[in-house]
Structure formats: structure tokens, C-alpha cells
Amino acid sequence: MFLIHCPYCGEREQSEFKAGGEAHIVRPKQPTELSDDQWAEYLFMRKNIKGVQFERWVHTHGCRKWFNMVRDTSNDEIKAIYKMGEKPPTK
Amino acid sequence: MTKNLRVKSSKFIDETYKISFKFNNKTYYGYKGDTLASALLANGIHLVGRSFKYHRPRGIMTAGSEEPNAIVQLHKNTSRTEPNVRATEIEIYEGLEASSQNCWPSVNFDIGGINNFLSPVLPAGFYYKTFMWPASFWEKYEYFIRKSAGLGKSPTEPDPDMYEHKYIHCDVLVIGAGISGIIAAKTSAKSGFKTLLLDEKPYLGGSTIHQNSEHFKINNQISSSWLEKEINEIKKIDNLKIKTRTSVAAFHGYNFLLARENLTDHLPLHQRDEKIRHRLLKIRAKKVICATGSLERPLIFDNNDRPGILLSSAIEKYSNLFGVACGQKNVLFTNNDSAYETAISLFQKGINVEAIIDNREEVDSKLIKEIEKNNIKIYKGYTVNDTFGYKKIKKISIMQLSKDGQKVVGSKISIDCDCLGMSGGWTPAVHLFTQSGGKLKFRDDDQVFIPDTYPSDQISIGSCNGEFTLDEILTGISKKLKNFLNIKKTEYENLEIQSHFNKTKRNIWLLPSDKIMGKTKPFIDYQNDATAKDIKLALREGFRSIEHVKRYTTTGMGTDQGKLGNMHALGIISETAGSRMGELGTTTFRPPYTPLTFGTIVGRNVGEYFDIFRKTPIHDWHVENKAKFENVGQWKRAWFYPKENEGMHEAVQRESKAARDSAGILDASTLGKIDIQGTDASEFLNRVYTNAWSKLAIGKCRYGLMLNEDGMVYDDGVTTRLDENHYIMTTTTGGAATVLGKLEDYLQTEWPELDVYLTSVTDHYATISVCGPNSKKIISKVIPEIDLSDEKFPHMSFKNAKIDKVKCRVMRISFTGEQSYEINVQANYGKSVWDKCMQAGKEFNITPYGTETMHLLRAEKGYIIVGQDTDATMTPIDLQMDWIVSKKKYDFIGKRSLYRSDTIREDRKQLIGLVTENPKEVLEEGAQIVADANKSPVEMLGHITSSYYSPNLEKSIALGVVKGGKNMMGQNLIIPMENKQIKVTVTDPVFLDKENKRLNA
């Protein structure tokens, strides 16, 4: 179980959090104008990387806030954590 | 003591404190400080158990937690009985009762021993190969296999002991209190770090503490004396916590570890009451120092498993620590210098050593010289090729090794002995290191795996890092600790070390024999009886992966997890397959390191604390009125209220009839309630529900369906507009938390611009639903101040009211199809309002009903239950609820998915009603629906989702999902059951009051 630094509450154990899948997938503003394929791309397609991945997490048993995390899925090393709406780290 | 095997007093044993214990019903004596194994050995007992497959007699092999053979059952046939306890670990106490396992009728005469002679027909994979066919015989095979499977017997009575969990945080955790661990712990604590030191044994000091040889000195003191002073010092350090009898079970990522602290297993039974037996420590350490030591390797030769054959280091430990001689005619067999240490220490105590057989040809060291000086015969370049003696070793036969070590040459020499010690060198205990994600590297020189890359802030020191000798351990330790702890100096910079250990080793994984392979039994995994022969067979049969060979031969799959033999299995595989050992990798080391009791894992979460459950404010009333309860999520919900001799069916039929004929009352407090406020609340609801919300007037209620983005129904419920910017949403009981989570997700991540606030108020309100034709009369008695006329208070509307002085919200909404009122009141007034309703309804025979009746009533009306009639593959269109999907709204969650090529298919499963040809016949929920039962294969069209006998319609009704069901109205279908076929007709899912006359009445 890893430790996560919630940007609102501080360091807490993983069991307080839930993972919410890949980050930075924006819900299309005009879904009606998309083809089936384009909509399916948004709906189903996820990268599921072994390595550094951008993810969404929520502090379920805490402040209930969503935030973003950059995590290496191969060893659970957390590279960065930033709030929703903030720019992802570039390096 | 029958034989005088207690040779010399040891300071670890209190000879003034005699303890009696029973082994296989016979009473023996030992001393305080003894383990069961040392006490048995002192009584001349080696034979402790039988092996798993061949039932071969087996004795004590080790002196630690790696023991594969000497595992016993404690306190048979009592609630405190425990199987598979290692005799080498359990400390004796007054009244201890232990017995052998896996033998019948006794360990001395075991019928199963016949398997030993059947062994030629019991090769690896025997069960896989033999019990395959005919398939119909499996049930018969299974009976016998299960009977012969397993070692000990699990307890059948509840566990009388208490267990608990505890969190510990520390700066530095040191695992293992051998010489390296003691030095590390002292250095860390003295540098100001909050330090925790754990060891599985009851004493500190590891193997060095009983090392009394003149050949190993630190600062000119014998190593054990030097270490003893260190131990006395660390006990005084404030910020160092020491826990003995504490075994680290698991090392997870981020330096999170689990350890089992054993608090009472060494106490007499009568002293254990009211005490915690085991404590599971959940440790978060900033830094971890592994000083877990190493395990001595056995040697693999024919019949290397007889009682009386021990690890050489175990013999040394029994003599030095417990003052016990394992035998009177000892022979040692080795491929390195360790056995000479044993020989010297036996010799010093006056215990006879007959001979030493050394694989190495030309080797010399100070230790060897001393042995030679004492006229102990050393056979250099020899190997043991066989052993004799059934229940105890009597004799060995030795032969010379060929130059390449692959063959034996010359003639056999026979040596009498009653104890054989073997030393195949040392294997670093890297189990915890690899559990944490660490990667190993293979050191070719002495054929060991040692830590390579660390996944977290940790180091391995001492012999678990492949530093086996005193000088290797101590010369580098100071520098290592300085780097790791980031400190300037330690007390151990300039130690003067004397260590006379020749490090050469002649590693031969499988020692040659004069017999052909098939006629030998060189055991690798003692507990599971896997031999080198089995491993070679697996390779011949095409197994290559070490993980597969392990499972096929069961090597390393016993309770000891192959701590002794796994390396040899790897060695033999790599030799046979011609690959390099380092490339082959190892099998995965999984937690726990030593077995944990279930009690330790469960802790205090037993009985009523096993799982939490939620009760409504009216729960006690349901209990008093003999309700049967149903679990819905974590809630206990009243299921039905049987009267006198009623079963569930009778009770539900009565409740359902009463609700439609006069009045029923339901505790609906478990429904999820979410308070929604903010200037964008209406817009928000527009986006999350399929229907339109902007035009809902204040004081009105609306039913809504919520979809996932994939268009599938997710939840439903009624939402009420309390004010311009204030709504209260209800969700299904089970969906409350996930719906709130989903709404928060969209608000925070997709639409942060919306001014909306969500608050869960599920627990804040009690909800009482009164339904039926007389409900209006009852509510008017309870809340006289409201005008309940249909004009002023129509269906789907809401009013604030007061009952006495208590504020409440009253909604006229219905899940039964009857005229129905829901009173929401602050939770702590729930019970009194319920009582008021019951009182007011008395003259109308108001009938409390549970969830089963609720389900029946809504099924009559064709209302769906999300999760019962839907299963995450149903769109609103599939449910024939097209009316609830707004065509005008530009977007809502899931809208775009409703016209994907897949969701517009006509032949999707759609919700329909079903009536049976025989109106009395009730269908089974989950039953398949087919059109033609004779077609092969039968095409499954769908299944029944809800089914009841309706007392109000006096017939059987059901809901189901059927491919293309929408266009099958009136069609006949078949429900094939085990012994009959039931004819049904497809109908509209609404069975009762299609015109909503009852709702609006």
C-alpha cells in the first residue's frame, strides 16, 4: 500500500483513495457531432501504460476531492500530484 | 531424562526450572528456554513426523523457522488446537501437548508408510496423470484424495483467543537481531532515529550469540561476549524499541510491513486468558534495514531425509544454545568450512565427532588444522552416497568424488553414526527483500542470489546480503550505515576482527550416487517429498519455467515454502537444462515468510464486528415486531413481517393485499438522499438525468433515470424541487455512495464552472412511506394541517409540514402504484412518527410491509429495480422507457451512446412482461427464456429478472429481458426447467392500473 500526498489533506494511506483511470481525457463539448468511432475513442480507449502514466485519483474517505497523479505503474513510484485544472508537469 | 544428552549447562537454559510436557501422549521433561525440538532431542527423540506423500519417518532437521519436517499438532481435539506448528520454534511450557501429524495409527507404525514402497508408481504429477479419467469417477477419487491430503487437522471449535492489529510508525526498522541487526539498531538509535528492532526468536543475538570459538574475535574478545555487551547497551536506549518473538510476514512497497508479534504462545494455557495472543503490527518505516541472516543449505544425496540427519548449524545450535547433543556418534558432511565450526564446538563440549566428510579435495584452514590436531578423521574429496536406518540413522556409506564431481569412484567406506550433520553452504534470506520488489543478482563464486537493486529506502546487511563471515560482515558495516543513515560516524569504524574461515566451497547441487537415478531418493523438498528425480522427470516431460516445475513437482509448496531446498531445485534445473542459474531467475517469494494464523489476519474483526451494518432509526421496532431482515448493501432492511405460523410467501401475500386494499407502511429510510444546492442546480440535473428539469416547478417531484456515459442505466429515483436553487435527490439504497461519487466527479472534473453543492443526507432523515387507498385518511390524521386534496396536493408534489413541532417534508410519490405519501423527518424523530402513523392507521388495518412486498407491488405496476431488472447492459430504450429520454436536450450523460450502432440494434434484449399459461405457476428468477426448446443448440433469448405470484391480480407475473422482446407482444415462449417446460406469453410489463387511476385517486 502506497502513501499518497492529497493536495488538500496531506499524506494519507492508499486505502483512503480510489483510482479513477487515465487523466486528461476531456469529455467532448459537442458529442452529437461526433461519429461513432470518435465517440468510442473517448468512451473506451485508454492507454494502460506499463510505466509513467497520468491518472485521476479521488480522496474518497477524506475530502472527496479529485486530483491528478503521475505514477509509474511498474513500481508505484509517484512522480507528481497536482490539482484538477492545473497543468500537468512537462518533464 | 532417559538418556543423558544434556551435555553441558547453557546460560540460555534454566536448569532450575523443570517443565513437563506431552509428546504423543507420553510425558517428558525439559527446561525453561527449551524449544519442543531441543527438549525432544534431549530425550533422545528424533522421529517426530511422517512425510506428506511417502509417509517416510522424519525427524528434526533445523533449529529455526525453516523447519520442513518437525511440524506437530498442538493440543489435539481442543479449541486451542493448532496444526503445522514447527517444533523448532515453539517454546515448551507446563502442560504443552504435541502430537505427530500425517500418520496413522502412530508415528512409529504408520500404515501410509506403504507409499514409500509404492514410490516407483507415484512420480511427480501422479495425481494429474492418474485421476483424469473416466471423468465420472472423479467424485470417488476425490473422497480418497481429500482424505489423504493435508498435514494437520484444523480446529473445529471457535478460537478462544483474542488477536489485535496495531499501527507502528518509525524512522528506521531493523529486521533481525543478529550481529548486523544489533549494530545497525544501535547506530540508528544513537544517531537520534526512532528505531524498531524485530526478531522472530525469543532472544537477541542471532547465531553469533552462541558462537564461543576462539577463532572468531572482535576487539580481542570472543564474538559472543562482545555481542552480549552490545545487547546490554541497546536495551537501555530510549528511542529504540525491541520486539522479540516477532516475525515479519510481509514487506510491501513504500516500506509498509506486516509483522506478527507472538505474545502468549510460550505461556501455559491457564495464563493466556484475557491476553492478546498474536498482534499484527502494521509498520510504516521511513527506512528499512534487512538483517534477516541466512539459511544453511542441506546437501542432496540418496536417503538424505532420515531422522538423525540435521543441518550442521542446527547441531551446533542445539549444543551451544540448549546444551543438547543431537547424537553420540556424530558425523559431519560438508562442502565448506561451516561444519568445522560445528565440529570444534561439539568437541569443546565433549561430544564425540566420528568423522568429517568434505566434498573439497585440497583445502586447508586454521579450523581444519584444529580438527586434524584432535585426531578427527577427515575424508577430503568424498561424498555420502547412501544412509541406512529406518526410524533413525545408523550408518552411512561414503565414496570418493571424481575430479569433475559428477561421479563416485573407488570403493565404499561404511561409517556408523547416530547423527549426521550436513552443510551445503548458506543461502541469504532474501525473501523479504524480494517481496518488497527488490531484484536479485546471482553470484557465481559461491552460487548465491544476493540483493541487487532496492525498490525503496532500504538496505540489506550481513549474511542476507551474502556477507557470511565475521570479517565480511564487520569490515563494511560502518560505511554502509553511514551512507544509508546519512550520518558522520559510528562506533564501529575500527573494529579488530579475527576470523579464520576458509571461504572456498565446492558446490554440487545433486551429489552423485553409485546407483542409477531411478533407484535413489535424494530429497529436495522434504515436506512434500519432492526428489531430484521428480525434477528431472518434469524437465523430461517438457516443463521449462521454474514456476511450472515448482507446481508440477510441488517443490517449495509446503508450509515451509521450500526455504531449504528451493535453491537446489533451481540448481538442478539449470544444470539439466544447460542454462545459467542467474538467467533462470527464482520462484516468486510471497508473503507470509512464516505461516500466520487466521486470527492474526482477522484481528478484532470477528463476530458482530466482522462487517459493519447500518440500521435505520426504526430498526428496533422491526426487531420487536419479528421482522425478517435482508441485507441491502450494508443496510439491514425489514424483509417481511411473518405473523404466527406464516412463512415468507404467506406473509408477503398478506402484506401485498393489505397495501392495495387498505393501507401499508414501509420504512424507506435507507434510500439514498443527496441535497443539491446552487444557482446551477437545475442545469446540473439536466446534464445528469435523461429527462428535462429546468421547468420543474418548486414543490414538484420528478422521476429521473441516470445513465453511464455508455448509455446504460446506472441509477434511478425521484428528485424534488424544494426551492429555486435547492433539490433533494433520492437514489437507490445500494447506489447512494456511488451516485454521489459520480456526481462529484463530473462537478469537479468536467463542469467545475457550475455552481452546485452536493451533500449526502441519507442518514439525516428517516423516511416513512404510507400507501394504499386509505393512506390519505391516515396522513390527514397524522398531519392535519396539510390540505391533502388531489387539487392542492396531487401525485408528484411536495409540501413542508409540521408534526407537533417537528418539521417534516411530505412527498406524494409512489413506488407501489398506490396513492402514497412519504414523510421525511429528522432521523431521531423517525420512530415517533412511525408510531404515530401506526396509531392513526390502526382503524384501517395499516400493515407494515418489507422489501419483498415492496418488490412485488412495484412488479405488478411494472416499475423496474435498477440492478435487478437491469444489469449495466440496458439502455432506457431497452427498458421500454423511451418517454423518459428527452429528445430536446442537447446533451446529458450517456446521450450520445444511445444511438451508437450497437445501442440502436432492434434485437437487443428488451424488458417485457411474462404471464404463465398456468396462472398458479411462479417462474424462477434467473431462468432462461427460449422460443424453441427442441432446436439444437437451444438459442437463449433472455432471462427472467423478477417473478412473483400477485395476490391482487391472482396470477403469476414476471418481468424478463428478451432479444427483440419489444416486438413480441402476445407471442408464446418457453421457460425450460430441469424437468419441465413452462409456457409463457409476452405481455406489457405493466400488469396493474395502466391508467394510473390508483395513483391519482
Side-chain angles (χ1 to χ4, degrees), chain A residues 1-3 13 27 30-36 39 42-44 56 64-66 76 78 84, chain B residues 253-254 256 284 709-710 740 744-746 748-750 758 890-893 896-897 899-901:
Chain A
M1 256 196 295
F2 40 99
L3 296 170
E13 202 168 72
R27 189 176 188 272
Q30 293 162 323
T32 45
E33 280 156 37
L34 300 182
S35 69
D36 269 12
W39 180 246
Y42 160 70
L43 203 52
F44 303 120
R56 294 160 6 106
R64 300 206 328 239
K65 285 280 195 185
W66 284 88
D76 287 336
I78 297 169
M84 281 293 157
Chain B
Y254 279 63
F256 179 63
R284 282 276 178 200
E709 206 67 273
D710 62 5
L740 180 68
E744 278 287 356
D745 184 354
Y746 274 91
Q748 289 179 34
T749 68
E750 296 294 348
L758 306 174
Y890 180 73
D891 192 13
F892 56 83
I893 297 172
R896 175 62 185 84
S897 292
Y899 54 93
R900 290 179 58 238
S901 57

Side-chain angles (χ1 to χ4, degrees), chain B residues 557-595:
Chain B
M557 289 172 72
T559 59
D560 60 326
Q561 291 283 289
K563 290 189 181 72
L564 295 183
N566 273 358
M567 281 304 133
H568 304 82
L570 278 172
I572 292 167
I573 293 169
S574 72
E575 265 174 16
T576 312
S579 49
R580 278 194 63 234
M581 185 106 167
E583 290 159 12
L584 210 59
T586 63
T587 52
T588 313
F589 297 95
R590 290 194 180 83
Y593 178 64
T594 49

Side-chain angles (χ1 to χ4, degrees), chain B residues 700 790 793-797 812-814 818 820 863 999-1000:
Chain B
K700 294 288 175 195
D790 293 337
F793 199 175
H795 181 55
M796 297 307 262
S797 56
R812 184 172 168 184
I813 52 179
S814 174
E818 286 304 309
S820 170
Y863 289 157
L999 277 178
N1000 297 315

Side-chain angles (χ1 to χ4, degrees), chain B residues 277-541:
Chain B
R277 183 186 173 204
H278 295 161
R279 188 180 281 144
L280 184 72
L281 306 176
K282 301 180 174 183
I283 306 165
R284 282 276 178 200
K286 293 204 180 92
K287 288 168 176 282
V288 176
I289 298 174
C290 281
T292 46
S294 53
L295 302 170
E296 192 167 28
R297 289 179 185 171
L299 289 163
I300 311 299
F301 53 94
D302 191 15
N303 291 317
N304 61 346
D305 67 323
R306 300 194 189 281
I309 302 181
L310 288 86
L311 294 179
S312 152
S313 59
I315 294 175
E316 183 185 13
K317 185 168 166 185
Y318 284 118
S319 99
N320 285 350
L321 197 73
F322 301 101
V324 172
C326 294
Q328 283 156 329
K329 280 191 282 181
N330 297 286
V331 174
L332 298 170
F333 178 25
T334 189
N335 66 6
N336 69 97
D337 252 16
S338 301
Y340 296 89
E341 286 182 53
T342 304
I344 290 167
S345 99
L346 292 181
F347 186 75
Q348 280 172 352
K349 293 202 162 47
I351 303 170
N352 177 35
V353 180
E354 298 276 316
I356 296 178
I357 294 112
D358 197 328
N359 283 171
R360 299 172 296 180
E361 280 176 355
E362 282 162 35
V363 67
D364 204 8
S365 73
K366 218 168 169 181
L367 296 179
I368 297 173
K369 281 208 173 71
E370 182 168 340
I371 294 294
E372 282 169 338
K373 205 168 68 194
N374 287 295
N375 295 322
I376 295 171
K377 173 86 182 151
I378 301 175
Y379 294 90
K380 290 185 189 170
Y382 273 78
T383 180
V384 175
N385 70 304
D386 203 354
T387 67
F388 306 91
Y390 185 55
K391 285 177 206 162
K392 174 91 182 277
I393 189 164
K394 281 192 280 202
K395 198 169 75 172
I396 59 169
S397 153
I398 67 168
M399 287 178 89
Q400 207 167 353
L401 280 167
S402 64
K403 282 268 173 259
D404 62 0
Q406 296 300 304
K407 284 197 297 282
V408 282
V409 292
S411 54
K412 290 181 202 172
I413 303 170
S414 182
I415 303 172
D416 287 345
C417 66
D418 62 354
C419 179
L420 174 67
M422 49 182 175
S423 175
W426 297 83
T427 298
V430 292
H431 307 67
L432 295 174
F433 162 79
T434 48
Q435 278 180 25
S436 76
K439 297 275 175 285
L440 297 167
K441 65 179 171 212
F442 191 67
R443 192 164 71 190
D444 285 310
D445 298 352
D446 54 351
Q447 307 272 297
V448 293
F449 283 101
I450 52 172
D452 188 11
T453 52
Y454 296 101
S456 61
D457 200 355
Q458 56 166 303
I459 47 163
S460 292
I461 57 170
S463 63
C464 71
N465 194 39
E467 298 143 14
F468 296 121
T469 62
L470 200 59
D471 51 339
E472 278 176 341
I473 294 170
L474 296 181
T475 40
I477 198 162
S478 183
K479 197 174 161 206
K480 268 194 178 176
L481 291 172
K482 281 196 286 190
N483 282 341
F484 181 64
L485 298 172
N486 200 14
I487 50 174
K488 291 247 151 45
K489 59 190 267 271
T490 77
E491 297 171 24
Y492 308 100
E493 315 250 343
N494 298 308
L495 293 176
E496 208 181 292
I497 302 144
Q498 265 174 274
S499 174
H500 299 282
F501 196 95
N502 184 330
K503 286 165 203 162
T504 56
K505 172 171 149 186
R506 187 181 189 189
N507 197 77
I508 304 170
W509 292 115
L510 172 60
L511 291 158
S513 167
D514 55 323
K515 284 185 246 167
I516 58 159
M517 184 78 187
K519 298 268 186 224
T520 64
K521 281 210 185 70
F523 287 93
I524 288 174
D525 183 310
Y526 294 85
Q527 197 177 98
N528 279 344
D529 279 342
T531 65
K533 194 166 63 181
D534 294 320
I535 289 183
K536 295 215 168 192
L537 176 69
L539 290 165
R540 276 207 305 281
E541 290 184 2

